[in-house]
Amino acid sequence: MVFFETPGKPDAIEKKALEFNEAVRGSMEDGVSDRAMSDAEVPLLKELIAIAFGKDNLARPSPEAYTLLSSKLLHWPTPQLFPILDVIRMLALNAYAAKHLSSSAANASFNLLLSLAASTAGPPDKVPAPTRLMALRLYTNCFRNTDMRSYIAQHCGEVLASVQGSAGFSNAQVQLAYASLLLNIAVHSRDAGTEATLNTPDVVQAVLSGGAEFLHTPAATTPPLADSKGGSEDAVLRVLCALGTLLVDKDERLSLARELRVPEAAGAVAGAHGGVKVKECAQQLLALFAHDEYRAHNKLLERVAEFAEWAGMDLCVLKCEATGYNFRSKSEMPIALIKYRGQQL
């Protein structure tokens, strides 16, 4: 799994949060100004920031600080929410904070993930990129701690629904965070086994659909994949790994992936991308779909081997070669799956 563990600048986050607090206080929208911190509550925000970005992993936020989060800070308008999400992103890595945030007692009156899923959902024109970015990083970090991992697994369907359309953001960091979330879900789904909440049809479909959507965007094929317009090479690689993790040894999921045109997208990435690792990963993903197609070829070669044995003659594999090219995706076919007597042609 991958996580976002690099802390931001505490002073800058505190400054931005206090600036937004004044904006919330002065809001004319009904009920919004009530969510602003009082002067007496500001030290609680500073306490949360100090613990979230400090080096003491054993530090514990006070009950009053948690109350401030659930009663006010996490109810700020979506555009002002991102510095608070950045704080919780780091708190999710703190064992004591993670245990509290995921506890049934804390979520009885305020469910953190469901609240965030509702307040940060929407297309790029409705949700500012910084807010979506920090929400995605928070969800990704939830897989670091055992308690938070179980917590997000219970609400994974709602979380995935809330971040739908993240592939459409032109921000490279949003794309990378989205790809990281899909990868962590896929890995946990594999590790947790068939009874895991993450293996429900809805969750599997959401991950496959999100990954397919990403691979069909220009960000997946536009080199050099390093700026805000072209996306991130790491993001493409993580999406390919997520899809492969979900599909390997899961033949029943391949038909859904075909409906989502994952093979065509992977083929386009393999044909257009300049990164060696991305090309290799895309080709390995294509090989999963090619497996069924090559069964017939291998069956034919089994018959050839039987005839050769009956006739007292055999093929010299060293003098044989198999080639293939997919003209639709403009990529070489994974002929490594074609074998004669267990040897690759």
Side-chain angles (χ1 to χ4, degrees), residues 65-287:
Y66 286 129
T67 299
L68 177 64
L69 275 176
S70 61
S71 64
K72 291 187 176 181
L73 300 183
L74 287 170
H75 297 280
W76 282 3
T78 302
Q80 281 84 41
L81 202 53
F82 71 86
I84 307 305
L85 295 180
D86 199 10
V87 173
I88 303 177
R89 164 185 76 94
M90 296 302 295
L91 286 177
L93 303 176
N94 177 295
Y96 295 109
K99 190 174 186 64
H100 173 84
L101 293 172
S102 60
S103 67
S104 56
N107 287 281
S109 58
F110 178 79
N111 191 303
L112 171 66
L113 291 182
L114 293 184
S115 174
L116 291 181
S119 62
T120 62
D125 60 332
K126 299 295 184 182
V127 181
T131 299
R132 176 57 58 85
L133 171 63
M134 290 306 166
L136 287 166
R137 287 181 174 179
L138 166 58
Y139 298 146
T140 301
N141 281 2
C142 284
F143 287 90
R144 173 67 179 274
N145 180 279
T146 303
D147 295 310
M148 289 295 283
R149 196 181 307 145
S150 300
Y151 177 40
I152 194 172
Q154 296 172 9
H155 302 294
C156 200
E158 293 88 347
V159 167
L160 283 170
S162 73
V163 299
Q164 186 177 7
S166 293
F169 280 77
S170 60
N171 186 294
Q173 294 303 312
V174 171
Q175 294 167 359
L176 179 62
Y178 184 48
S180 302
L181 175 62
L182 295 180
L183 178 59
N184 282 5
I185 292 174
V187 171
H188 184 54
S189 172
R190 179 201 63 194
D191 294 344
T194 56
E195 300 301 321
T197 308
L198 298 186
N199 279 305
T200 62
D202 290 344
V203 171
V204 171
Q205 181 172 349
V207 176
L208 291 177
S209 178
E213 179 189 14
F214 185 93
L215 293 183
H216 283 293
T217 63
T221 55
T222 305
L225 298 174
D227 56 28
S228 58
K229 295 181 180 180
S232 164
E233 182 171 341
D234 286 341
V236 182
L237 185 61
R238 291 178 187 183
V239 168
L240 291 170
C241 290
L243 293 174
T245 301
L246 277 183
L247 295 174
V248 67
D249 297 327
K250 300 290 183 181
D251 293 343
E252 70 277 6
R253 297 175 180 174
L254 292 176
S255 59
L256 173 59
R258 285 193 176 95
E259 292 177 11
L260 295 170
R261 298 177 56 237
V262 170
E264 290 85 350
V269 172
H273 204 286
V276 176
K277 289 183 178 180
V278 171
K279 275 183 175 293
E280 291 178 351
C281 194
Q283 289 169 351
Q284 289 174 5
L285 181 59
L286 284 171

Side-chain angles (χ1 to χ4, degrees), residues 259-323:
E259 292 177 11
L260 295 170
R261 298 177 56 237
V262 170
E264 290 85 350
V269 172
H273 204 286
V276 176
K277 289 183 178 180
V278 171
K279 275 183 175 293
E280 291 178 351
C281 194
Q283 289 169 351
Q284 289 174 5
L285 181 59
L286 284 171
L288 297 178
F289 296 96
H291 185 71
D292 288 338
E293 300 173 9
Y294 285 104
R295 283 177 180 170
H297 294 290
N298 287 330
K299 198 70 175 178
L300 177 60
L301 288 175
E302 289 176 9
R303 296 292 178 266
V304 172
E306 292 174 1
F307 175 79
E309 184 177 355
W310 174 81
M313 58 182 183
D314 204 356
L315 294 177
C316 180
V317 176
L318 294 177
K319 294 183 179 180
C320 298
E321 184 175 359
T323 61

